[in-house]
Amino acid sequence: MAERVPVVRLAGFYLAYFAILGILLPYWPLYLQQAGYDPAVIGLVMAVMPATRIVSPAFWGWLADRTGHTLRLIRWTGFLAGATFALIVWRDRPLFWLLATVLAFSFCWNATLPLFEAVTLSHLARQLHRYSRVRLWGSIGFLLAVWGMGELLDRLVPIGALPWAIAGLLVGQWSVSLAVPPIRERHPMTANVSLRAILRRGEVVGFFLSASLLQMAHGPYYAFYSLHLEALGFTDSEIGQLWALGVLAEIVLFSVLGRVHHYVGLRPLLLGSLALSGVRWLLIGWGGARIGLLILAQLLHAASFGSAHAAAVQIVHRNFQGPHHAKGQALYSSLAYGVGGAIGSLYSGLLWQGWGASWIFTSAAGISLLALVAAWPRVGR
């Protein structure tokens, strides 16, 4: 049975997807700045991508359940994402063209990962313990991309070549999806508990609020961390190395997370992650002059994203069972990474010049504290 699972092809998709993310997050703001856009516009463009996650996963997930063609939709959305992003390589375009293109690209591309998660879990079936080993290649892809692109930008290619690199990886992601074999799965059409009843649970309400706030706190990091480091005098390769360090910490955490969860438990894992997230933003905001503090802050990526995301996936899995499982994952993606991520990018862009990096990241620490307060009463009990 184990030989029938297309582990290499599944891992290849995660590798390509997160390699794209590894270029977009650190270097896309630098590309937009070089193209002549001010921080408010950069924040707006960076907010478009998470904003589409508010509706994109739910729409494509509903369509996949409705048609039963999940893998086919992954291939089509991957193809359309590559085709629309290719339009970005055109220079001297007006702002509305850039926003429209990014909107179309992200609406399609943001659908591919949630849908592919369902395909992966269906292929693994009763071998779900192998999921972390497959998903680990996504972190490796991010690590290689963020480090490799930093070296290339410093030594070989100009920042203007960034869209071409992303477009190439989008073609790679689409090509891998063509090689993944289809799955056949029957989902029950009835449930013992209604979706409305699940959404009324105190734990679920507190969880979604906490998850949204945590991603809102990540907004300044995703939109302006690279610009913050550049202003402090770091080179592109050094910026890439700091991003890569955070992902390396995430990889190490994923490799031992099973044992950590066994000894610590779900609730302390989540609450500890939220508390350490606040510490991380304070270190970035006020420790820029000390490389040791920045390194420590990047190591805390294992908490602010790694363990927090792992705990969140388990909470969703526990509360949304049977036919509601896909809906729960879609809601988590939409509310946390969609609503929270969009608000975080937007507010940080509007306030970046007036407040400055230190106070923007201090506000992110305060938002992480609010996430901890929201989760404390019931989440994970």
Side-chain angles (χ1 to χ4, degrees):
M1 186 69 181
E3 292 76 16
R4 298 180 182 179
V5 179
V7 171
V8 174
R9 284 168 281 181
L10 296 175
F13 184 92
Y14 287 103
L15 182 74
Y17 180 93
F18 284 96
I20 296 167
L21 202 61
I23 296 178
L24 277 173
L25 290 181
Y27 304 115
W28 188 240
L30 298 177
Y31 169 79
L32 294 174
Q33 183 184 55
Q34 186 270 343
Y37 298 107
D38 60 41
V41 173
I42 294 174
L44 178 60
V45 174
M46 293 299 292
V48 168
M49 288 185 282
T52 58
R53 298 184 76 165
I54 299 172
V55 294
S56 176
F59 171 77
W60 292 109
W62 170 85
L63 190 60
D65 287 340
R66 185 76 173 178
T67 62
H69 299 306
T70 304
L71 189 58
R72 186 178 299 178
L73 286 175
I74 291 171
R75 292 166 177 169
W76 272 109
T77 52
F79 173 79
L80 292 173
T84 52
F85 193 87
L87 300 175
I88 294 179
V89 301
W90 292 5
R91 303 290 293 183
D92 300 323
R93 58 198 173 275
L95 177 59
F96 77 89
W97 172 263
L98 174 65
L99 291 174
T101 306
V102 172
L103 177 65
F105 153 72
S106 55
F107 184 80
C108 295
W109 187 63
N110 280 331
T112 58
L113 183 61
L115 293 179
F116 197 79
E117 292 273 39
V119 171
T120 298
L121 294 173
S122 297
H123 272 298
L124 293 175
R126 297 183 180 180
Q127 304 177 56
L128 295 180
H129 61 280
R130 303 177 69 183
Y131 171 79
S132 61
R133 299 179 184 177
V134 175
R135 173 58 180 82
L136 184 65
W137 284 95
S139 300
I140 293 174
F142 189 101
L143 178 65
L144 293 175
V146 74
W147 174 79
M149 184 52 64
E151 293 295 323
L152 287 174
L153 292 175
D154 257 1
R155 303 173 188 275
L156 295 175
V157 300
I159 192 72
L162 198 71
W164 292 100
I166 297 172
L169 286 171
L170 284 166
V171 172
Q173 176 191 315
W174 175 70
S175 300
V176 172
S177 71
L178 297 178
V180 176
I183 49 97
R184 292 183 178 180
E185 188 175 8
R186 296 290 182 267
H187 296 285
M189 299 305 294
T190 59
N192 294 327
V193 181
S194 69
L195 180 63
R196 181 177 298 180
I198 296 174
L199 294 175
R200 288 176 176 174
R201 294 175 184 169
E203 179 184 16
V204 173
V205 173
F207 164 73
F208 280 136
L209 178 58
S210 174
S212 298
L213 288 169
L214 179 61
Q215 292 308 312
M216 188 188 306
H218 278 75
Y221 175 70
Y222 290 142
F224 292 103
Y225 181 63
S226 294
L227 297 180
H228 175 50
L229 293 179
E230 186 180 58
L232 292 173
F234 289 88
T235 65
D236 288 336
S237 62
E238 290 169 339
I239 292 172
Q241 289 165 13
L242 282 170
W243 276 89
L245 179 62
V247 183
L248 182 61
E250 171 191 323
I251 293 173
V252 173
L253 175 74
F254 279 142
S255 67
V256 300
L257 193 58
R259 283 175 288 177
V260 172
H261 181 217
H262 176 74
Y263 288 107
V264 175
L266 181 62
R267 177 175 167 82
L269 185 67
L270 177 65
L271 298 181
S273 300
L274 296 175
L276 290 174
S277 297
V279 174
R280 183 189 185 195
W281 309 136
L282 290 176
L283 289 174
I284 292 175
W286 298 96
R290 300 181 181 179
I291 185 62
L293 294 181
L294 288 178
I295 290 174
L296 177 59
Q298 287 307 90
L299 293 177
L300 288 177
H301 181 75
S304 70
F305 173 77
S307 56
H309 177 72
V313 169
Q314 294 184 57
I315 291 172
V316 172
H317 179 75
R318 184 174 68 181
N319 283 281
F320 293 85
Q321 296 291 326
H324 300 312
H325 188 247
K327 299 182 185 71
Q329 295 294 343
L331 283 170
Y332 170 55
S333 179
S334 296
L335 295 176
Y337 295 98
V339 176
I343 295 175
S345 295
L346 192 58
Y347 99 84
S348 59
L350 293 174
L351 300 178
W352 183 261
Q353 286 184 318
W355 285 26
S358 296
W359 288 108
I360 286 291
F361 280 106
T362 300
S363 71
I367 295 171
S368 294
L369 178 60
L370 291 178
L372 178 62
V373 171
W376 187 272
R378 296 190 180 185
V379 177
R381 290 193 182 277

